[in-house]
Amino acid sequence: MSFKDEIARRRTFGIISHPDAGKTTLTEKLLLFGGAIQEAGAVKSNKIKKGATSDFMEIERQRGISVSTSVLAFNYKDKKINILDTPGHKDFAEDTFRTLTAVDSVIVVIDVAKGVEEQTEKLVAVCRMRNIPMLVFINKLDREGKDAFDLMDEVEQKLGLRVTPLSFPIGMGYDFQGIYNIWEKNINLFSGDSRKNIEETIAFNDVNTPELDELIGEKPAQRLREELELIDEVYPQFDRQEYLDGKLQPVFFGSALNNFGVRELLDCFIEIAPSPRPKESDTRLVNPDENKFSGFVFKIHANMDPKHRDRLAFIKIVSGTFERNKPYLHVRHNKNLKFSSPNAFFAERKEIVDISYPGDIVGLHDTGNFKIGDTLTEGENMSFKGIPSFSPEHFRYINNADPMKAKQLEKGIDQLMDEGVAQLFTLEMNNRKVIGTVGALQYEVIQYRLEHEYGAKCSYELFPAYKACWIQPEDPKNEEFAEFKRIKQKFLAKDKFGQLVFLADSEFSIQMTQSKYPSVKLFFTSEF
């Protein structure tokens, strides 16, 4: 296969939704179709103690939520599919935002009963900002929920999308009978039996045939015909270019838990979804079919395997091919590194790969060289942009609870912060350490992981701050900046990269600072 064909057969996408809309379940079912796993560990059922293949951190199993983004790959119908399953819980939004920099398209999962929820709104807003192509999957059709047309209206109004259905439910909840596939013009009947792996479909070139009445009953058939007519009149025709430009979003209906409507989604997805797309760097636009390799780190995970203290840096390949044992330039350090065992993923299984192509995600064993946002190239000096670090909204002092373990604590904090789980600020005045996070649940995760992975105990006390603002003075030598530093000294800290940060205690104090010291600029995100 030629290099161009390899790029064309790749589909790298993320799945986003509010917690509990069924994102992890959908991921599992997609793997099932790809033949990557034999039986999906139902996320809800307590009878199967299998647990989902894609949740591998202990705390995720206890809580039943996905905390870290997992990377899964499989082959389906000659396409190589890379899924990035993101955490839905809002306390881990930062991880999700960063993951969205590494995907070429997105599937948005919506719960039929709850409709559009707040976390979905935030994530979709990020996708719209970047014009990422989106596909909507309305899940849990076998439960009582909102009417299909009302749901699509809600998606249009709350998420600001322009939708067109490519499959449509026959009945809902208790009366749910199946799905009419508008894209392929066939009907798939629901048996309610999730053990049945792949369902039979019945082709219908014309919904007006009497066979339809025999199949699903006279009333439902009549209703389906009316609904399909209405769809024709109300919704735009599907146009692939508009979808790729982020201007039109196809909608699918189904029930991931019962393995229903997932095949329709996948079959259409691999036809229409984009192969790897170009990415903007600080110097130019980089195209996937360039010969020279480039890629960037969008996630770091410490201790993937509790038995070995290993850190993996996840790299999204943007252009060229990534080869094992070949030296590449680490742009920030300006030094060459080579990797003897680059990993490709399959949930908990990792395989060493010799060559990877644009769109693939590779895990590199890291001894501390990488930070999130780092760029690797074949020698060109450029950095990919758009991988921000957000201003935390919760702050706590971190204290060592076991004086014998000071070293372990330091090492643990250091590595967890590299992962981008939270941010560490060191106060200028007394060098005390303050941890800032986007969500409060992170503190539990940090405490848990410090104890279980590094054998260190910590305690927290509240630090009265409202937001972290990165500081950039127009002129570091002027009087105004010196005055600002003197007055605000007990609110000043350095972040991990040694940049000066002002930990403001209220919205009011930010406004006062801006009006009193106009030459001192404040920023709420720091581009790494």
Side-chain angles (χ1 to χ4, degrees):
M1 239 191 224
S2 74
F3 174 52
K4 289 227 160 92
D5 292 341
E6 286 287 0
I7 299 178
R9 64 183 277 261
R10 278 168 169 68
R11 303 280 181 273
T12 304
F13 66 98
I15 300 184
I16 59 175
S17 78
H18 199 79
D20 277 349
K23 202 169 41 212
T24 306
T25 313
L26 177 63
T27 309
E28 296 261 307
K29 292 301 156 82
L30 292 174
L31 288 177
L32 204 60
F33 279 108
I37 46 178
Q38 262 39 70
E39 98 192 77
V43 184
K44 284 279 173 286
S45 138
N46 295 328
K47 293 195 222 42
I48 319 177
K49 274 282 175 273
K50 247 186 87 207
T53 322
S54 54
D55 288 353
F56 47 70
M57 253 164 70
E58 193 48 41
I59 200 159
E60 303 186 0
R61 295 212 173 98
Q62 289 175 3
R63 289 273 180 116
I65 55 171
S66 301
V67 175
S68 57
T69 306
S70 46
V71 182
L72 307 152
F74 63 92
N75 286 306
Y76 179 75
K77 290 196 175 174
D78 194 41
K79 296 280 189 278
K80 162 101 191 292
I81 298 176
N82 298 308
I83 306 181
L84 285 83
D85 180 20
T86 60
H89 201 288
K90 69 170 184 295
D91 286 5
F92 303 98
E94 203 175 332
D95 196 28
T96 307
F97 288 139
R98 282 197 294 253
T99 302
L100 289 177
T101 59
V103 301
D104 300 306
S105 64
V106 161
I107 293 181
V108 185
V109 183
I110 291 174
D111 181 323
V112 71
K114 297 183 182 140
V116 174
E117 296 171 88
E118 97 184 289
Q119 195 52 29
T120 322
E121 290 182 44
K122 284 187 185 158
L123 295 168
V124 167
V126 174
C127 296
R128 281 181 55 207
M129 245 162 50
R130 301 212 170 106
N131 288 330
I132 301 176
M134 281 179 270
L135 215 132
V136 180
F137 181 68
I138 294 180
N139 192 13
K140 307 191 182 178
L141 280 203
D142 50 318
R143 305 214 182 148
E144 292 300 323
K146 306 183 179 183
D147 171 75
F149 286 107
D150 292 349
L151 271 167
M152 289 194 288
D153 284 350
E154 192 175 324
V155 169
E156 295 210 299
Q157 282 154 13
K158 282 197 178 166
L159 300 178
L161 303 180
R162 212 176 127 233
V163 302
T164 183
L166 290 187
S167 75
F168 204 76
I170 304 169
M172 269 289 199
Y174 188 68
D175 310 321
F176 178 56
Q177 294 205 47
I179 282 175
Y180 179 73
N181 186 341
I182 300 174
W183 174 250
E184 292 174 12
K185 296 210 171 23
N186 60 32
I187 277 184
N188 191 344
L189 293 181
F190 179 61
S191 64
D193 179 4
S194 64
R195 285 191 303 277
K196 215 169 77 175
N197 265 354
I198 292 176
E199 331 77 12
E200 312 297 307
T201 50
I202 303 153
F204 270 90
N205 295 330
D206 174 18
V207 279
N208 294 320
T209 58
E211 285 169 43
L212 186 63
D213 302 281
E214 288 163 33
L215 208 61
I216 59 177
E218 215 167 295
K219 265 194 184 144
Q222 201 38 49
R223 199 174 143 201
L224 178 67
R225 291 179 189 125
E226 284 162 14
E227 289 179 330
L228 290 175
E229 255 172 56
L230 189 62
I231 287 172
D232 259 1
E233 286 161 25
V234 177
Y235 293 98
Q237 282 288 314
F238 176 71
D239 174 319
R240 180 160 186 240
Q241 199 45 52
E242 291 204 311
Y243 155 72
L244 291 177
D245 295 342
K247 296 192 179 113
L248 182 68
Q249 287 77 25
V251 179
F252 285 86
F253 290 85
S255 156
L257 191 64
N258 293 306
N259 213 351
F260 195 79
V262 179
R263 188 191 60 78
E264 285 81 343
L265 172 75
L266 189 56
D267 283 352
C268 174
F269 176 81
I270 60 172
E271 267 183 65
I272 64 172
S275 48
R277 305 169 76 188
K279 191 166 173 65
E280 204 48 76
S281 79
D282 55 359
T283 53
R284 62 190 188 86
L285 185 70
V286 180
N287 282 304
D289 55 8
E290 294 177 17
N291 292 333
K292 290 210 178 322
F293 162 78
S294 69
F296 64 95
V297 179
F298 66 93
K299 174 184 169 60
I300 288 173
H301 197 115
N303 308 323
M304 291 267 302
D305 182 344
K307 296 189 213 46
H308 309 281
R309 282 297 143 114
D310 59 347
R311 271 175 43 146
L312 271 188
F314 291 79
I315 288 200
K316 157 85 189 262
I317 299 174
V318 180
S319 67
T321 53
F322 179 88
E323 293 172 42
R324 187 175 149 190
N325 285 328
K326 189 172 169 181
Y328 292 111
L329 174 70
H330 183 315
V331 177
R332 186 171 52 89
H333 283 323
N334 194 16
K335 65 177 187 195
N336 282 322
L337 303 171
K338 60 185 198 186
F339 306 93
S340 57
S341 55
N343 284 321
F345 299 91
F346 172 77
E348 286 184 333
R349 279 215 314 278
K350 296 183 300 211
E351 292 154 15
I352 290 179
V353 282
D354 289 321
I355 183 162
S356 303
Y357 296 90
D360 284 342
I361 308 290
V362 185
L364 302 179
H365 287 281
D366 174 31
T367 49
N369 289 317
F370 289 117
K371 294 199 168 86
I372 288 173
D374 277 352
T375 300
L376 274 180
T377 67
E378 230 170 281
E380 186 176 347
N381 190 358
M382 63 171 182
S383 296
F384 287 107
K385 42 182 219 252
I387 307 172
S389 158
F390 295 87
S391 169
E393 289 166 21
H394 302 263
F395 298 87
R396 297 187 191 173
Y397 283 119
I398 182 163
N399 300 321
N400 185 1
D402 177 356
M404 303 295 287
K405 296 278 175 78
K407 243 173 149 168
Q408 284 90 324
L409 182 73
E410 200 159 309
K411 183 178 165 200
I413 291 175
D414 213 43
Q415 293 203 354
L416 291 181
M417 298 304 129
D418 277 351
E419 265 187 52
V421 174
Q423 294 171 56
L424 183 67
F425 301 106
T426 309
L427 292 180
E428 291 275 78
M429 233 170 70
N430 50 14
N431 278 339
R432 281 193 71 181
K433 301 212 181 327
V434 172
I435 286 187
T437 68
V438 175
L441 197 65
Q442 294 282 32
Y443 290 111
E444 270 185 65
V445 173
I446 293 169
Q447 202 164 20
Y448 181 90
R449 291 186 60 188
L450 281 173
E451 191 173 334
H452 289 82
E453 294 173 18
Y454 299 93
K457 286 192 168 66
C458 72
S459 63
Y460 298 118
E461 45 184 299
L462 280 174
F463 177 78
Y466 159 77
K467 247 196 165 58
C469 316
W470 280 268
I471 301 170
Q472 217 174 2
E474 277 169 20
D475 172 11
K477 295 195 177 66
N478 70 7
E479 297 280 293
E480 195 174 299
F481 185 50
E483 161 91 353
F484 165 79
K485 285 206 300 205
R486 200 186 79 241
I487 302 278
K488 297 288 185 194
Q489 63 174 9
K490 64 175 207 273
F491 298 110
L492 293 182
K494 286 257 169 68
D495 73 2
K496 215 174 144 172
F497 308 104
Q499 288 173 305
L500 197 60
V501 180
F502 168 44
L503 301 174
D505 52 359
S506 66
E507 179 66 51
F508 175 68
S509 114
I510 294 176
Q511 285 164 2
M512 282 301 288
T513 306
Q514 281 170 329
S515 62
K516 203 166 157 193
Y517 309 106
S519 77
V520 179
K521 299 266 183 288
L522 303 178
F523 298 93
F524 299 111
T525 59
S526 84
E527 276 272 323
F528 280 170

